[in-house]
Amino acid sequence: MSNLELREFHSFLEGLIEESSREQRFSIDRIVGTILSSHPQRLEKIQTQVIALGLRALVRNNCRAKVSSMNNGPDMFGHYHVGKRVAVPYKDEKGKLRWDRKRRTELSFDDLDEIIARWDDRPPHRSRDRQDFEDISRRAAPYRGQARTIGQALEMAERDGR
């Protein structure tokens, strides 16, 4: 697919959105239904890109999800607002700040320290994520020398009633 085809589809989509919004309340489902039922030939031209975009959205949503369907035991992160994969800052070989996504059960103490340190660079807005990570840090701190990961430290804290 060319960029021209994608731009044409965006223009077509914009027209459908405008037309649909004038007639009734805005509805994504109605617009998608119109495309699928009345304009399948337009969709065929960009089908591969639409599938890739949809898959990217599903992967992002899955990483942000709080509950894992593959969990084999108690979820030590269950009452925290922490996705299954967490963005962890690191410096690349050129010293540029980058972000890696790690499973929350595999976060190291260094990872947690880096996440919290990034918030120190920002205004002191107390987001729920920030509060959760700071609470995780407090609960896991006594187990720094014993646990390899934050997940293991939270299991130890749970076992010890902390």
Side-chain angles (χ1 to χ4, degrees), residues 9-20:
F9 189 80
H10 275 286
S11 295
F12 163 72
L13 186 58
E14 187 175 349
L16 274 180
I17 292 168
E18 287 299 316
E19 182 181 316
S20 174

Side-chain angles (χ1 to χ4, degrees), residues 34-66:
T34 299
I35 292 169
L36 293 174
S37 64
S38 302
H39 305 283
Q41 72 286 359
R42 286 193 178 260
L43 196 54
E44 281 180 22
K45 290 181 181 179
I46 62 163
Q47 184 173 346
T48 302
Q49 285 67 25
V50 169
I51 290 171
L53 286 169
L55 289 172
R56 289 175 60 90
L58 289 171
V59 168
R60 264 193 307 276
N61 288 344
N62 187 279
C63 288
R64 288 183 194 129
K66 308 306 178 224

Side-chain angles (χ1 to χ4, degrees), residues 1 5 7 11 14 18 20 23 25 31 40 46 51 57 61 64 74 78-79 82 99 103 105 118 128 140 143-144 147:
M1 179 191 90
E5 288 172 328
R7 279 195 306 266
S11 295
E14 187 175 349
E18 287 299 316
S20 174
E23 297 170 3
R25 288 184 131 178
I31 293 168
I46 62 163
I51 290 171
N61 288 344
R64 288 183 194 129
H79 62 281
V82 177
W99 297 86
R103 285 186 204 97
T105 56
R118 288 291 136 225
R128 178 159 180 196
Y143 306 97
R144 263 190 189 264

